């Protein structure tokens, strides 16, 4: 790792300075900070002279705690001060003066444990502004980092006498936009991100909120103009703008609320059960607020700003953290072909009391020893790393929707699932088993059992876990995205690391680059994934938007690879249709980046399409390099990635319901070398609705001078494996 760090310190008298600028290393972005009338902190951001964020206010409103005792012996009831004075004391919104500014430059190259590229450059210019609120003698530091691809800034609270413990009522960070931008959004919600994206102008969010707000088992909206981050926008003059946060640790998840008259977005934190939005103890800081911006959509997808704003790995020995390609006993339950539950005879279950040996099996329980062995055999035959099994542990007959505390114990199997036999069988086949911990959002219960559950995994050879948080949170009144739950997700990661366990958390808070600090966070769901294709279907443009939104913070366990688009083929009572072509399902292994990739369909279905399945077998899950070839949010994405430690490349392209012709170059290939490109494309008559399984496979020779024009069907795409080859291997193939 190489680093460059320079620092310039300007110590200034109060009131001597009211404005300060800092530019990105390439000069395209300029951050301006100033104090407005009344000592109100503001900032603005321009890109190549165009307004990205117009002057916007910064600050926090704190909860008035003046009626609480300041020491243990204070039992008086008359403690509350004058209301105006109390409000003045609480506010961290105005009355500031600049006491010091520091500017610095930082430049390093670091290597992620896994990722889209081998090396990541972390290069920024920084401005740190120390503010003093004269009336209260309280200090905060506003730290801005300007990268070539965007801005990160946060609030810092240094050690001081007059601001130690405090409670946030609301963070008041503003993003004043320069226009009524085209926006790709989902409703603001404290409990779920599992929505289809709506594409509209900002001014249309209010009128379209009701149709965008679709049912979920746990959801809590807060405003008809509330939206979630990462928020992707495009201005009328061609700027692509993405607003999110980085390093969400010990703080509430940030949403955005829109003032649709003035086009100002303002932070809106997730509250706790008492309505408070953050309990703080100085010295501390908030997460980074991020703005990624470019006039080229490809730069948004290529940005590593979110990762760069997180701390380096806290796990010293990362040799046990490995990308995973897996299959699982999952889709057959999602479609309704099989069940998680062992029996249909138990409307109520009490762990430790209910005797499953006295019940009649329903005959549809998928997590049985014989069925799981079939999945292990398939995984071993085709070179997969692991097999996930859901529904193996007792309690699934009575698990969510009842605010049930003691719902699972995470260690007791059903009578038809032999843990030791499965362990031995998988080991003999060279396949790892992936654990499943559905908590039913009874978080107190999960923490009660966590150590025992992780030790059970270690004892039985499980080194990765898919955890889930379906339903409303226990402790009751907490939300999925509040500070308490954010701390729980971190606790689970830290405890898992002690047992050398990788975590793939579903229904958890959306990622913010924390996987740099804890690389055992190998995946998240935290968005509407493939499972919804069996719950009515995702919109055809969904996978052309997610990389610009949800994936900005980290990889998603999207679970692609569905080859049977009519769900009724598995369950006659389920008429859902998977809104994609088969070829696009292959493309998602490249365009939906994750070091954790599932082949989600059933083995018997893959056996009908083994020629297409070959791409899933071949495609890498860890990369040395990534090239964003084509990109337009909501329309199309084409990405090429170079497999870790090889000269082989894999390409994926996905488009919306309109279809298109993709035009790409292979100029990133090594000069003077030949490669065999196997192209898995939509057939000429393919269509995500009417003919989704129509695909074609062809092989050609490509070099760094080759170009390709490829048809993508409506809701379709293509995938290409590009394998270095010698002259003998290329005989008889045409050159592209």
């Amino acid at each position: 790792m190489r680093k460059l760090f320079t620092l310039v310190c300007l110590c200034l008298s109060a009131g001597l300075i009211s404005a300060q600028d800092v530019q990105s290393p390439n000069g395209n972005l300029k951050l301006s900070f100033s104090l407005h009338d009344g000592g109100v902190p503001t900032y603005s951001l321009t890109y190549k002279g165009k307004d990205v964020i117009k002057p916007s206010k910064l600050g926090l409103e704190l909860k008035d705690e003046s009626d609480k005792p300041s020491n243990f012996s204070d039992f008086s009831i008359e403690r509350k001060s004058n209301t105006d004075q109390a409000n003045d004391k609480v506010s961290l919104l105005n009355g500031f003066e600049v006491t010091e500014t520091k500017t610095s430059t930082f430049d390093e190259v670091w290597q992620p444990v896994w990722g889209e590229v081998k090396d990541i450059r972390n290069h920024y210019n920084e401005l740190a502004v120390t503010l003093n609120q004269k009336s209260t003698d309280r200090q905060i530091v506003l730290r801005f980092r300007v990268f070539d691809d965007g801005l990160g800034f946060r609030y810092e609270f240094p050690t001081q006498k007059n601001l130690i413990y405090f409670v946030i009522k609301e963070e008041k960070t503003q993003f004043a936009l320069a226009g009524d931008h085209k926006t790709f959004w989902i409703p603001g919600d404290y409990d779920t991100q599992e929505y289809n994206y709506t594409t509209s102008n900002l001014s249309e969010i209010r009128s379209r909120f009701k149709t965008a707000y679709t049912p979920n088992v746990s959801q809590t909206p807060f405003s008809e103009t509330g939206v979630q981050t990462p928020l992707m926008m495009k201005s009328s003059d061609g700027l692509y703008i993405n607003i999110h946060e980085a390093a969400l640790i010990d703080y509430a998840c940030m949403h955005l609320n829109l003032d649709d008259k003035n086009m100002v977005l303002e932070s809106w934190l997730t509250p706790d059960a008492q309505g408070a939005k953050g309990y703080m103890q100085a010295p501390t800081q908030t997460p980074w607020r991020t703005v990624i911006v470019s006039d080229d959509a490809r730069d948004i997808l290529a940005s590593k700003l979110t990762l760069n704003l997180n701390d380096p790995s806290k796990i010293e020995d990362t040799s046990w953290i490995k990308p995973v390609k897996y299959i699982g006993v999952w889709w057959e339950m999602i479609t309704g072909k099989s069940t998680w539950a062992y029996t249909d005879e138990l409307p109520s279950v009490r762990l430790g009391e209910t005797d499953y040996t006295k019940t009649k099996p329903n005959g549809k329980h998928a997590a049985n020893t014989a069925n799981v062995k079939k999945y292990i055999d398939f995984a071993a035959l085709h070179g997969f790393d692991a097999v996930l099994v859901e529904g193996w542990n007792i309690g699934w007959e009575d698990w969510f929707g009842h605010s049930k505390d003691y719902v699972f114990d995470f260690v007791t199997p059903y009578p038809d699932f032999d843990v030791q036999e499965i362990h031995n069988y998988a080991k003999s086949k060279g396949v790892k088993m992936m654990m499943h911990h559905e908590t039913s959002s009874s978080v107190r219960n999960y923490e009660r059992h966590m150590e025992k559950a992780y030790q059970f995994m270690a004892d039985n050879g499980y080194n990765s876990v898919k955890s889930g948080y379906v339903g409303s949170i226990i402790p009751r009144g907490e939300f999925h995205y509040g500070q308490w739950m954010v701390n729980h997700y971190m606790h689970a990661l830290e405890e898992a690391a002690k047992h050398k366990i990788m975590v793939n958390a579903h229904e958890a808070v959306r990622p913010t680059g924390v996987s740099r600090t804890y690389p055992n966070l190998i995946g998240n769901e935290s968005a509407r994934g493939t499972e919804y294709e069996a719950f009515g279907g995702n919109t055809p443009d969904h996978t052309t938007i997610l990389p610009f939104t949800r994936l900005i913070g980290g990889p998603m366990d999207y679970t692609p690879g569905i080859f049977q688009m009519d769900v009724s083929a598995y369950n006659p009572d389920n008429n859902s249709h998977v809104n994609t072509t088969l070829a696009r399902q292959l493309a998602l292994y490249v365009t939906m980046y994750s070091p954790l990739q599932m082949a989600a369909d059933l083995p018997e279905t893959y056996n009908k399409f083994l020629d297409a399945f070959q791409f899933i077998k071949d495609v890498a899950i860890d990369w040395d390099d990534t090239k964003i070839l084509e990109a337009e949010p909501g329309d199309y994405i084409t990405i090429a990635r170079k497999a870790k430690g090889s000269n082989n490349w894999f390409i994926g392209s996905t488009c919306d319901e309109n279809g298109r012709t993709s035009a790409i170059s292979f100029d990133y290939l090594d000069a003077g070398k030949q490669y065999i490109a196997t192209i898995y494309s939509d057939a000429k008559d393919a269509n995500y609705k009417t003919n989704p399984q129509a695909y074609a496979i062809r092989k050609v020779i490509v070099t760094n001078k080759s170009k390709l024009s490829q048809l993508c069907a409506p809701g379709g795409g293509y995938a290409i494996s590009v394998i270095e080859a010698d002259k003998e291997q290329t005989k008889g193939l045409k050159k592209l």
Side-chain angles (χ1 to χ4, degrees), residues 582-583 586 609-615 677-683 694-700 710 719 721:
L582 190 151
L586 301 180
F609 303 95
L610 287 176
D611 55 350
F613 185 67
Q614 187 64 43
F615 182 82
T678 305
I679 304 171
Y680 302 79
S681 64
D682 294 318
Y695 63 92
I697 303 175
R698 70 185 192 276
K699 292 187 177 183
V700 294
Q710 180 62 55
S721 62

Side-chain angles (χ1 to χ4, degrees), residues 1-2 106 175 196 262 274 276 290 302 366 463 482 526 540 569 584 665 705 725 728 735:
M1 180 185 293
R2 61 182 186 271
F106 186 80
F175 304 85
N196 273 313
N262 298 301
Q274 296 181 331
T290 63
N463 69 338
S526 308
R584 182 166 80 167
S665 169
K705 296 181 180 179
E728 185 66 27
K735 192 172 183 179

Side-chain angles (χ1 to χ4, degrees), residues 52-65:
V52 178
I53 305 295
K54 298 192 296 183
S56 301
K57 296 179 181 179
L58 297 168
L60 297 101
E61 182 181 0
L62 305 187
K63 188 177 180 182
D64 183 4
E65 300 276 278

Side-chain angles (χ1 to χ4, degrees), residues 379-398:
L381 177 64
H382 295 289
F384 283 76
D385 301 306
V387 174
L388 164 75
V389 181
E390 295 196 10
W392 67 277
N393 56 314
I394 61 172
W396 287 89
E397 293 78 10
D398 174 25

Side-chain angles (χ1 to χ4, degrees), residues 522-523 555-558 589 592-597 621-623:
I522 200 170
M556 180 180 178
D557 184 25
Y558 189 72
Y589 288 91
M592 294 289 292
Y593 166 67
S594 179
L596 180 77
Q597 290 284 20
I621 49 176
D622 200 12
W623 310 99

